[in-house]
Amino acid sequence: MPASDIPPPEVPFATTPPADRGWLLRLVIAFAFAQGAVSMARPAVSYRALSMGADERAIGVITAVYALLPLFAAVPLGRRTDQGRCAPLLVAGVVLISAGCALSGTAGSLAALGAWSGLMGLGHLCFVIGAQSIVARRSAPAEQDRNFGHFTIGASLGQLAGPVAAGLLVSGQGDDMARTSALALLASAVAAAVAFTSLWRIESRTAPGRAGSPDPSAGRPKVPVRRILRTRGVPAGIFISLAVLSATDILTAYLPVIGEQRGIAPATIGLLLSLRAAATIACRLVMPPMLRLLGRTVLLTVTCALGGVLCAGIALPVPVWGLALMLGALGFCLGVGQPLSMTTVVRAAPDEARSTALALRLTGNRLGQVAAPASAGLVAGVAGTAAPFVMLGALLLAAAGLGLRRPDGGTPGRGRSPLDGNRLPNRFSARRT
């Protein structure tokens, strides 16, 4: 049996028996509605901006603003979650997503549209930090790959349904597109609110912060952010996640622009985006056997490299059926990076700073969501709308190179690392009580 497939030793972090998985199903359902609302709203925001006369640069700026507030809020929210409960962040996230979608639908200027898009992004961050922390807190180490994979299926379900709904609702040109895009944004606000129905008993009754329950961080000093970032495996997980999410984000924001230039209807663009999400779901359903067959390092490297080539290929003037084939294959490749980067970061980080480490991963994601769309807008303004996809291809190839290099400085098949799924001793273990 290869070293990458040896299960990590049990550590006293999970608080729930493996058989109790109703909380995971409810979390997946809530995430599907929350992510579906965001995935429906993002292309609708692009179409609404186009109806207001926005060009490629303006679309890039509005897309970047979505990630601007979360860029500064992620680490404080992660610190707070390490010290207490996670569920309040889920509630706050749903409220902010719903408000951001509704207000975007009533925005009368590009500046207002960007501001409310930022509020939506802050809500999404709150929800994801809370949800990922619950998965990490309630999963035994041997279950983390599976549970994070199932958790991200909720995101993929939302990414599957959201663009289709947006494409069906958005139609026309000019004033008509302004009206239909506003309708899509208001519908996304309602979809986000539905997530409330699955938030009951999401968190363990023994979660920190509840009366009479032990706080695992009590008496421990806060682990400095710099030391978390220097922990072996954390930077690799952050960069891989950044590259994969940037590709997904720019696909969502810029494929409508590609469609407008190539004469592809909004409904078809919605179906193409949903095809990518469906392929991502398929990937995550079959990820356990792929991990057993290839190991984490090889799987991450191959999928990131192939994803980079496919992403650059979108820049080619291919017919719609060719675009569909590329997006399906790309969606399958992009399905690997997010759940495995979560597991990589959780296993590498100290137990008392796991939520903070996940928040740092999300900070990297949001940094990519700020920098990549802004850069894409500049590149698109100079070299055309297809150029950002070439830029994303290069980013994914860089992530593949990082995965091949290995965080321990070795080569695949030698040594152990968080990328291979084996929990390493770290410099903070002496502080644990």
mmCIF file of all heavy atoms in Angstrom, residues 382-408:
data_model
loop_
_atom_site.group_PDB
_atom_site.id
_atom_site.type_symbol
_atom_site.label_atom_id
_atom_site.label_comp_id
_atom_site.label_asym_id
_atom_site.label_seq_id
_atom_site.Cartn_x
_atom_site.Cartn_y
_atom_site.Cartn_z
ATOM 1 N N VAL A 382 -7.107 44.989 -23.128
ATOM 2 C CA VAL A 382 -5.956 45.168 -24.019
ATOM 3 C C VAL A 382 -5.914 44.088 -25.094
ATOM 4 O O VAL A 382 -5.705 44.377 -26.276
ATOM 5 C CB VAL A 382 -4.643 45.162 -23.196
ATOM 6 C CG1 VAL A 382 -3.436 45.185 -24.129
ATOM 7 C CG2 VAL A 382 -4.608 46.343 -22.242
ATOM 8 N N ALA A 383 -6.107 42.829 -24.679
ATOM 9 C CA ALA A 383 -5.893 41.701 -25.599
ATOM 10 C C ALA A 383 -7.176 40.984 -25.992
ATOM 11 O O ALA A 383 -7.109 39.979 -26.703
ATOM 12 C CB ALA A 383 -4.915 40.704 -24.969
ATOM 13 N N GLY A 384 -8.327 41.420 -25.505
ATOM 14 C CA GLY A 384 -9.575 40.768 -25.870
ATOM 15 C C GLY A 384 -10.137 39.908 -24.754
ATOM 16 O O GLY A 384 -9.417 39.542 -23.812
ATOM 17 N N THR A 385 -11.405 39.570 -24.864
ATOM 18 C CA THR A 385 -12.108 38.871 -23.792
ATOM 19 C C THR A 385 -11.579 37.460 -23.565
ATOM 20 O O THR A 385 -11.682 36.926 -22.461
ATOM 21 C CB THR A 385 -13.609 38.808 -24.133
ATOM 22 O OG1 THR A 385 -14.069 40.117 -24.453
ATOM 23 C CG2 THR A 385 -14.413 38.281 -22.957
ATOM 24 N N ALA A 386 -11.022 36.840 -24.585
ATOM 25 C CA ALA A 386 -10.532 35.468 -24.436
ATOM 26 C C ALA A 386 -9.220 35.397 -23.665
ATOM 27 O O ALA A 386 -8.880 34.344 -23.113
ATOM 28 C CB ALA A 386 -10.357 34.824 -25.814
ATOM 29 N N ALA A 387 -8.487 36.506 -23.578
ATOM 30 C CA ALA A 387 -7.161 36.483 -22.956
ATOM 31 C C ALA A 387 -7.173 36.076 -21.480
ATOM 32 O O ALA A 387 -6.240 35.393 -21.035
ATOM 33 C CB ALA A 387 -6.491 37.845 -23.123
ATOM 34 N N PRO A 388 -8.186 36.483 -20.670
ATOM 35 C CA PRO A 388 -8.167 36.045 -19.268
ATOM 36 C C PRO A 388 -8.134 34.532 -19.086
ATOM 37 O O PRO A 388 -7.586 34.041 -18.096
ATOM 38 C CB PRO A 388 -9.465 36.640 -18.703
ATOM 39 C CG PRO A 388 -9.737 37.820 -19.545
ATOM 40 C CD PRO A 388 -9.261 37.438 -20.920
ATOM 41 N N PHE A 389 -8.696 33.780 -20.033
ATOM 42 C CA PHE A 389 -8.701 32.330 -19.891
ATOM 43 C C PHE A 389 -7.294 31.750 -20.096
ATOM 44 O O PHE A 389 -6.941 30.734 -19.493
ATOM 45 C CB PHE A 389 -9.700 31.710 -20.862
ATOM 46 C CG PHE A 389 -11.123 32.103 -20.568
ATOM 47 C CD1 PHE A 389 -11.747 33.111 -21.282
ATOM 48 C CD2 PHE A 389 -11.829 31.493 -19.548
ATOM 49 C CE1 PHE A 389 -13.057 33.492 -20.995
ATOM 50 C CE2 PHE A 389 -13.122 31.859 -19.255
ATOM 51 C CZ PHE A 389 -13.740 32.863 -19.976
ATOM 52 N N VAL A 390 -6.496 32.409 -20.946
ATOM 53 C CA VAL A 390 -5.094 32.002 -21.087
ATOM 54 C C VAL A 390 -4.343 32.280 -19.784
ATOM 55 O O VAL A 390 -3.532 31.466 -19.326
ATOM 56 C CB VAL A 390 -4.444 32.740 -22.271
ATOM 57 C CG1 VAL A 390 -2.967 32.361 -22.396
ATOM 58 C CG2 VAL A 390 -5.176 32.426 -23.571
ATOM 59 N N MET A 391 -4.627 33.428 -19.168
ATOM 60 C CA MET A 391 -4.007 33.770 -17.890
ATOM 61 C C MET A 391 -4.362 32.746 -16.818
ATOM 62 O O MET A 391 -3.503 32.307 -16.042
ATOM 63 C CB MET A 391 -4.480 35.166 -17.455
ATOM 64 C CG MET A 391 -3.909 35.654 -16.135
ATOM 65 S SD MET A 391 -4.692 37.196 -15.589
ATOM 66 C CE MET A 391 -6.302 36.587 -15.066
ATOM 67 N N LEU A 392 -5.616 32.317 -16.782
ATOM 68 C CA LEU A 392 -6.036 31.302 -15.815
ATOM 69 C C LEU A 392 -5.356 29.966 -16.081
ATOM 70 O O LEU A 392 -5.005 29.236 -15.145
ATOM 71 C CB LEU A 392 -7.555 31.125 -15.864
ATOM 72 C CG LEU A 392 -8.386 32.250 -15.252
ATOM 73 C CD1 LEU A 392 -9.859 31.972 -15.475
ATOM 74 C CD2 LEU A 392 -8.088 32.383 -13.776
ATOM 75 N N GLY A 393 -5.178 29.636 -17.352
ATOM 76 C CA GLY A 393 -4.478 28.400 -17.680
ATOM 77 C C GLY A 393 -3.068 28.396 -17.114
ATOM 78 O O GLY A 393 -2.611 27.389 -16.554
ATOM 79 N N ALA A 394 -2.384 29.536 -17.210
ATOM 80 C CA ALA A 394 -1.036 29.632 -16.653
ATOM 81 C C ALA A 394 -1.061 29.494 -15.130
ATOM 82 O O ALA A 394 -0.166 28.867 -14.531
ATOM 83 C CB ALA A 394 -0.405 30.960 -17.059
ATOM 84 N N LEU A 395 -2.072 30.058 -14.488
ATOM 85 C CA LEU A 395 -2.182 29.965 -13.032
ATOM 86 C C LEU A 395 -2.385 28.518 -12.590
ATOM 87 O O LEU A 395 -1.767 28.057 -11.616
ATOM 88 C CB LEU A 395 -3.346 30.838 -12.553
ATOM 89 C CG LEU A 395 -3.521 30.995 -11.041
ATOM 90 C CD1 LEU A 395 -2.332 31.742 -10.445
ATOM 91 C CD2 LEU A 395 -4.819 31.757 -10.739
ATOM 92 N N LEU A 396 -3.232 27.781 -13.292
ATOM 93 C CA LEU A 396 -3.464 26.381 -12.949
ATOM 94 C C LEU A 396 -2.224 25.530 -13.201
ATOM 95 O O LEU A 396 -1.930 24.595 -12.442
ATOM 96 C CB LEU A 396 -4.654 25.839 -13.735
ATOM 97 C CG LEU A 396 -6.032 26.309 -13.268
ATOM 98 C CD1 LEU A 396 -7.108 25.936 -14.285
ATOM 99 C CD2 LEU A 396 -6.370 25.736 -11.897
ATOM 100 N N LEU A 397 -1.476 25.836 -14.248
ATOM 101 C CA LEU A 397 -0.229 25.101 -14.494
ATOM 102 C C LEU A 397 0.784 25.367 -13.386
ATOM 103 O O LEU A 397 1.534 24.465 -12.984
ATOM 104 C CB LEU A 397 0.344 25.493 -15.859
ATOM 105 C CG LEU A 397 -0.426 24.968 -17.080
ATOM 106 C CD1 LEU A 397 0.161 25.544 -18.367
ATOM 107 C CD2 LEU A 397 -0.398 23.446 -17.129
ATOM 108 N N ALA A 398 0.803 26.608 -12.866
ATOM 109 C CA ALA A 398 1.676 26.911 -11.731
ATOM 110 C C ALA A 398 1.258 26.114 -10.501
ATOM 111 O O ALA A 398 2.100 25.612 -9.750
ATOM 112 C CB ALA A 398 1.650 28.408 -11.437
ATOM 113 N N ALA A 399 -0.064 25.977 -10.284
ATOM 114 C CA ALA A 399 -0.554 25.171 -9.164
ATOM 115 C C ALA A 399 -0.155 23.713 -9.332
ATOM 116 O O ALA A 399 0.203 23.035 -8.361
ATOM 117 C CB ALA A 399 -2.071 25.299 -9.048
ATOM 118 N N ALA A 400 -0.198 23.217 -10.567
ATOM 119 C CA ALA A 400 0.226 21.834 -10.818
ATOM 120 C C ALA A 400 1.699 21.660 -10.488
ATOM 121 O O ALA A 400 2.110 20.642 -9.906
ATOM 122 C CB ALA A 400 -0.032 21.462 -12.280
ATOM 123 N N GLY A 401 2.514 22.642 -10.849
ATOM 124 C CA GLY A 401 3.928 22.569 -10.521
ATOM 125 C C GLY A 401 4.178 22.569 -9.030
ATOM 126 O O GLY A 401 5.046 21.843 -8.530
ATOM 127 N N LEU A 402 3.383 23.352 -8.287
ATOM 128 C CA LEU A 402 3.517 23.375 -6.831
ATOM 129 C C LEU A 402 3.111 22.031 -6.233
ATOM 130 O O LEU A 402 3.750 21.531 -5.301
ATOM 131 C CB LEU A 402 2.658 24.494 -6.241
ATOM 132 C CG LEU A 402 2.752 24.701 -4.736
ATOM 133 C CD1 LEU A 402 4.172 25.076 -4.335
ATOM 134 C CD2 LEU A 402 1.772 25.779 -4.280
ATOM 135 N N GLY A 403 2.048 21.440 -6.774
ATOM 136 C CA GLY A 403 1.634 20.133 -6.283
ATOM 137 C C GLY A 403 2.675 19.061 -6.561
ATOM 138 O O GLY A 403 2.905 18.179 -5.737
ATOM 139 N N LEU A 404 3.342 19.165 -7.700
ATOM 140 C CA LEU A 404 4.375 18.180 -8.036
ATOM 141 C C LEU A 404 5.614 18.369 -7.175
ATOM 142 O O LEU A 404 6.284 17.408 -6.800
ATOM 143 C CB LEU A 404 4.736 18.310 -9.512
ATOM 144 C CG LEU A 404 5.725 17.292 -10.082
ATOM 145 C CD1 LEU A 404 5.135 15.898 -10.008
ATOM 146 C CD2 LEU A 404 6.075 17.651 -11.523
ATOM 147 N N ARG A 405 5.893 19.646 -6.829
ATOM 148 C CA ARG A 405 7.098 19.953 -6.050
ATOM 149 C C ARG A 405 7.010 19.421 -4.636
ATOM 150 O O ARG A 405 8.014 19.103 -4.015
ATOM 151 C CB ARG A 405 7.286 21.478 -6.041
ATOM 152 C CG ARG A 405 8.515 21.967 -5.314
ATOM 153 C CD ARG A 405 8.705 23.456 -5.634
ATOM 154 N NE ARG A 405 9.795 24.012 -4.833
ATOM 155 C CZ ARG A 405 9.600 24.744 -3.760
ATOM 156 N NH1 ARG A 405 8.377 25.010 -3.352
ATOM 157 N NH2 ARG A 405 10.625 25.225 -3.072
ATOM 158 N N ARG A 406 5.771 19.371 -4.075
ATOM 159 C CA ARG A 406 5.537 18.851 -2.727
ATOM 160 C C ARG A 406 5.981 19.826 -1.650
ATOM 161 O O ARG A 406 7.029 20.445 -1.738
ATOM 162 C CB ARG A 406 6.245 17.521 -2.486
ATOM 163 C CG ARG A 406 5.742 16.391 -3.339
ATOM 164 C CD ARG A 406 4.612 15.686 -2.659
ATOM 165 N NE ARG A 406 5.046 15.157 -1.402
ATOM 166 C CZ ARG A 406 5.597 13.962 -1.265
ATOM 167 N NH1 ARG A 406 5.774 13.193 -2.310
ATOM 168 N NH2 ARG A 406 5.946 13.533 -0.072
ATOM 169 N N PRO A 407 5.175 20.044 -0.621
ATOM 170 C CA PRO A 407 5.514 20.992 0.407
ATOM 171 C C PRO A 407 6.719 20.613 1.245
ATOM 172 O O PRO A 407 7.282 21.434 1.937
ATOM 173 C CB PRO A 407 4.241 21.033 1.271
ATOM 174 C CG PRO A 407 3.561 19.738 1.041
ATOM 175 C CD PRO A 407 3.891 19.359 -0.361
ATOM 176 N N ASP A 408 7.135 19.352 1.249
ATOM 177 C CA ASP A 408 8.291 18.973 2.045
ATOM 178 C C ASP A 408 9.594 19.036 1.257
ATOM 179 O O ASP A 408 10.638 18.632 1.728
ATOM 180 C CB ASP A 408 8.116 17.560 2.616
ATOM 181 C CG ASP A 408 7.930 16.515 1.530
ATOM 182 O OD1 ASP A 408 7.915 16.902 0.338
ATOM 183 O OD2 ASP A 408 7.809 15.328 1.871
#
